[in-house]
Amino acid sequence: MHVLILGGTTEARRLAQALTAGHPGWRVTSSLAGRVARPLLPEGEVRTGGFGGADGLARALRELQVDALIDATHPFAGTISFHAAQAAATAHVPLLALRRPGWVPVQDDDWHHVNSLEEAARRLPTLGRRAFLTAGRLGLSAFAGVDDVFCVVRSVDAPEPPLPPRSQVLLARGPFTLEGERAVLREYRIDVLVTKDSGGEATAPKLVAAREARIPVLVVRRPEVPAGVTVVGSVAEAVEWAGSPGISSLSGD
């Protein structure tokens, strides 16, 4: 049984560990996009870099004799998810999408949902003057024209220009603590938070800190999973899917 996992997320690493430990005879390969300079490596085999679109991924599925494909990429890695759906259909390989549940607002949250980073940039000046941008380094160009808001940009790796004209970069990798997020809001006098609905626990403390400080939050909605793809919300469900008779029997396991 050969399982190919797409993604360098926390869930992808946990899944690789669970499959490797639970099925010693299986071959588990994780594919990382290569966008982070020093990624945390999962157990099992690891490859880095793209496949060359849906056709390239379909070719790789055949050449690597992949029996099951699991898309455990970031909820906002929309392009690779659609390529995975197309490639799996072409190569006749079962596909599962592992997506951590999105965040849900609670009492006292002041959330403002938008559909894109561009829309968030347009709305930003109406909500505050000192923003904490935690939406990743690859989409910062959307804020390049926001010149009336000071932006504190947090990123794992140093972002490339264009950046917001008035900005300061904080290099940090999660998980983040609640006390740490409180300190950032205090030190930089943040009055608005910008985030993608990434879900998960590693970066959720910033939402609690914003709630406590009664700071508005611009939340970018996540893209839809391609139509027809089975979706689960936990590593345990993904492990169960991979080991189900309908999947594992394809490899003669």
Side-chain angles (χ1 to χ4, degrees):
M1 180 75 170
H2 185 192
V3 180
L4 176 60
I5 303 172
L6 304 178
T9 59
T10 299
E11 291 76 17
R13 292 192 296 274
R14 290 174 178 170
L15 176 59
Q17 180 182 24
L19 290 177
T20 301
H23 301 278
W26 286 15
R27 179 183 176 189
V28 178
T29 303
S30 296
S31 177
L32 310 183
R35 293 178 175 175
V36 177
R38 297 179 299 277
L40 300 176
L41 298 180
E43 294 188 23
E45 299 178 33
V46 179
R47 70 172 303 279
T48 303
F51 291 93
D55 292 340
L57 178 53
R59 186 165 52 252
L61 293 177
R62 296 191 186 99
E63 292 175 352
L64 297 173
Q65 298 181 331
V66 173
D67 298 295
L69 177 62
I70 301 180
D71 172 16
T73 55
H74 191 276
F76 282 83
T79 299
I80 184 61
S81 294
F82 280 91
H83 287 173
Q86 296 171 23
T90 299
H92 304 290
V93 172
L95 169 65
L96 179 76
L98 171 58
R99 290 291 184 272
R100 66 185 77 152
W103 292 315
V104 178
V106 300
Q107 186 176 355
D108 295 329
D109 278 332
D110 182 15
W111 288 13
H112 303 258
H113 284 91
V114 292
N115 293 317
S116 67
L117 288 172
E118 289 73 18
E119 186 179 351
R122 291 192 296 270
R123 292 281 302 279
L124 183 54
T126 70
L127 294 174
R129 285 293 177 266
R130 299 184 65 86
F132 188 21
L133 299 187
T134 64
R137 64 186 176 90
L138 298 180
L140 286 176
S141 60
F143 299 88
V146 180
D147 55 9
D148 51 354
V149 178
F150 176 77
C151 298
V152 176
V153 177
R154 184 162 68 194
S155 175
V156 175
D157 295 320
E160 297 180 358
L163 302 178
R166 302 170 56 217
S167 61
Q168 179 171 341
V169 176
L170 298 180
L171 297 182
R173 185 197 298 268
F176 301 102
T177 66
L178 177 55
E179 186 51 46
E181 301 296 56
R182 289 168 175 160
V184 170
L185 299 188
R186 288 195 305 266
E187 179 178 353
Y188 294 98
R189 307 191 311 279
I190 300 298
D191 59 9
V192 58
L193 170 67
V194 180
T195 184
K196 294 177 178 177
D197 181 15
S198 301
E201 300 176 357
T203 60
K206 63 189 174 186
L207 301 173
V208 179
R211 182 188 314 134
E212 293 176 347
R214 299 193 176 278
I215 290 174
V217 182
L218 270 169
V219 182
V220 182
R221 295 185 179 93
R222 57 174 62 180
E224 297 291 335
V225 174
V229 176
T230 301
V231 182
V232 297
S234 70
V235 170
E237 291 173 295
V239 170
E240 182 179 1
W241 175 86
S244 63
I247 304 300
S248 59
S249 64
L250 296 176
S251 65
D253 186 21

